[in-house]
Amino acid sequence: MSEYSLIEEAFMDITIFGATGGTGRHLVEQALEHDHTVTAVVRDPARMPLSHRNLTVLTADVADPAALRPAIAGRDAVLSALAASNKRGDIAATAVRAILRARDSVRRIVVVSAAPVGPVPAGESLLGRALLTPVVRAVFRDVYADLAAMESHVRDSDTDWTIMRPPRLLDTPLTENYRRALGQGVPGGHSVSRADLAHAMLASLDDPATVRQVVGIAS
């Protein structure tokens, strides 16, 4: 069991971007299970399989701050699980820039990046340092460039931000049994389930240790 548990009494009104993606669906489901009120921002509402009294689904252009304001105004926190993609250009950086412009008084923001965006963690194996990380960075260089730009926008903001850096994401069940490292990646951590990443993102909302921190996470 992870030591990073969700605080069930701390009900929040949150907005989730990328809500129909692999991690985003877990975020929505887990947030609703813990009685949070959720606004899910999507491109295609038909892809949202969930229906709940505490769930509002909004369609909006994530590049347009004016279109995002109704989805963010008055919320306690914003979580972005928008995935970077070679096919979608600089979607992560563009969306987060628009979110930051639209957020008004909302201070808490948690975003997903990727472990290869940061330095190789202390204690990483020779194989990881010399082969795995360089190869992955070369193959997905455009994706990581987008995520690095996204991180820069978040770091430069005056928000209470948290940047989550997972390694390879798996479609495996929630375990709540993951490792976390503040300020760096997790040594030897080469994968984590999307469900556990969602759990860690929600748990960070009430964890002051993660504010204005990069957080590595891995199984």
Side-chain angles (χ1 to χ4, degrees), residues 14-94:
I14 63 178
T15 297
I16 297 173
F17 289 88
T20 59
T23 301
R25 291 191 185 190
H26 288 290
L27 275 174
V28 173
E29 183 176 354
Q30 292 180 32
L32 293 172
E33 286 176 354
H34 288 81
D35 290 329
H36 295 305
T37 299
V38 177
T39 299
V41 180
V42 303
R43 288 189 298 163
D44 180 5
R47 293 182 58 202
M48 172 53 68
L50 300 175
S51 178
H52 193 280
R53 66 183 183 282
N54 287 345
L55 174 64
T56 300
V57 179
L58 293 181
T59 304
D61 178 359
V62 296
D64 181 359
L68 299 185
R69 287 190 184 103
I72 298 175
R75 303 324 193 261
D76 298 308
V78 171
L79 298 96
S80 174
L82 288 164
S85 167
N86 283 324
K87 297 179 180 179
R88 299 177 65 190
D90 59 349
I91 183 63
T94 298

